Amino acid sequence: MIYQRSSQLFAEAEKVIPGGVNSPVRAFKAVGGTPIFVKSAKGAYLYDEDGNRLIDYINSWGPMILGHAYEPVVEAVIEKAKLGTSFGMPTELETQIAALAVSMVPNIDKIRFVNSGTEACMSAVRLARGFTKRDKIIKFAGCYHGHSDSFLIQAGSGAVTFGTPNSPGVTAGTAKDTLLAKYNDLENVKTLIEANKNEIAAIIVEPVAGNMGCIPPVKGFLEGLRELCTANGILLIFDEVMTGFRLARGGVQELFNINADIVCFGKVIGGGLPVGAFAARAEIMNYLAPLGPVYQAGTLSGNPLAMAAGLAMLQALDNDREIFKRLEEKTAYLGAGIERVLKANNVVFTINQIGSMISVHFDANPVTDFQSAAAGDNETFKKFFHGLVAEGVYIAPSAYETWFITDALTYEDLDFTINAIDKVSKTF
Ligand code: KE4
C-alpha cells in the first residue's frame, strides 16, 4: 500500500486544521503513522486518495449500517437539496421521521432532533437535571457521551486514546457534579448513590459500551441500574448513539427489554448526515422549551437534508425485518473466524461481540470495563491495525473502539478479512 497522496494531503491539512483532522481519533495517534485520506466509498469499501481499496469496519463510526452511498439515502438527499437545504422553520419531514422513530423504539412518546450525539447527550443531561431539580450525574469510566464538559471526566474513546482522562478546559465546578463509576459494577453505583443521597439527577450509560472496545453489560447490570434509579428518583439515560437502530430495531431497550427514562441517538439515525436526537415519555420531554422551562435549541436541528437522509435510513431498517439477524450472523461468523486463526497462531486475545458490534483485545483476561480494556497489549494492536491496512482491511485506529459491521459486507469480504488476520497475526 502506498500513501503518498494521503501524506501530502495530511501535511497540507495540518497547516490549517489543528492536528490535520476535525476529530482527534482520525489522526492515528494511538497507532502511529499518517491518517488515510478517503476519496470515495461505496457499499463495504473505502477508496483512498492513493487508489487503495479498503474493506471498511468503521463505517463512519457507525452510521453506514447499510453500506456507504446507500442509494435510497443518496437519492433522498439529492431530491431534497433541490428544494432548499435549510429554513429554520418547521417542515413535515421532521414529523415524519419523529413519528417513525417513536414507532420503532419502545417507551418513548416524543423525540427532539439535534446535530450530533454530543448535543443529544448534553441536552438529555440538562433535561434530567431540570426535571429532577438535582445537579449530579453518574457516568462510567471508559464510556464516552461526546465532548460536553460534564462528560470529559475520564471519558472513553478519543480522550482515553490520548491518555488525558481529565481534559483541560473543564472547570472544577463542572467536574464536581460528575461522579465516576466502574462499568458493570453495581456495588460501586450503589456506593455513589448512598454517598450523594437525593443529589443525583441521572445515571448516563452506554447500555452496550463501544468506547472501550465493545463491552456488553454483564447479566443483571442494566436491570440493577433500572432498579436503583427507580428506587432513588434518578433518571436512567441510555446513550444509544452507537447502539440505537443498530443492535435491534428498538435498540438496547428492545434487546434486553429494559426501559430507560431518556434515550439518546446519533449516527444511524442520520444516515451519515449530522443528526443526533434524544427521546423520552411525554412527561419528561414536555419539560423542554418552548413547552417547558428547560432550554435547548439549534439553527440546523431537523434540517431537511439530514432529515431526508435519516428518514430514508430508518425506513429501510423498518421495512427489512431480517436486517438485524443478518448483521448478527455476519458478525458472529467474523468473530468465529478471527478466533480460529488467532488461536491457530498462538495469539493471546479476547473477542467481545454483540449484534453487529465486535472488538479484538490482545489480552487473555475478559474485557468487562475500562481497566481491563486498558490492559490490552497496544504494541500488538498497532501491528494488527497497520498489518490489516496493508492487506486492504480498515479497522478502528484505536484499541478503545468497536468495529461496526455493515450489511453491505459479503461473506467473501468476511473470509478475505479472516485470511488477512491469519496472515498478519503470523507476524506477531
Ligand atoms: P458525536 O458528537 O461524535 O456525534 O457523538 C458523541 C458520542 C456519544 N455517545 C456515544 C456512545 C458515542 O460513541 C459518541 C461518538 N463516538 C465516537 C466513536 N467512538 C465518534 C468518533 C469521533 O469522536 O470522531
Side-chain angles (χ1 to χ4, degrees), residues 132-182:
T132 61
K133 298 176 181 48
R134 297 178 181 179
D135 293 345
K136 292 184 177 174
I137 63 169
I138 291 177
K139 78 172 288 289
F140 293 88
C143 282
Y144 178 69
H145 307 293
H147 64 92
S148 172
D149 283 7
S150 298
F151 304 137
L152 290 182
I153 314 291
Q154 199 177 17
S157 186
V160 167
T161 300
F162 278 82
T164 54
N166 292 303
S167 171
V170 176
T171 65
T174 298
K176 74 175 175 37
D177 286 334
T178 299
L179 306 169
L180 267 180
K182 200 161 169 267

Side-chain angles (χ1 to χ4, degrees), residues 22-26 60-61 115-119 121 144-147 157-158 206 208 210-211 239-243 266-267 275 400-402 404:
N22 283 306
S23 199
V25 74
R26 304 175 192 171
S60 182
W61 300 100
N115 301 282
S116 70
T118 296
E119 226 187 314
C121 295
Y144 178 69
H145 307 293
H147 64 92
S157 186
E206 290 181 56
V208 168
N211 287 287
D239 174 354
E240 293 219 46
V241 167
M242 274 188 175
T243 58
K267 299 180 192 279
V275 179
Y400 291 105
E401 300 289 352
T402 181
F404 297 99

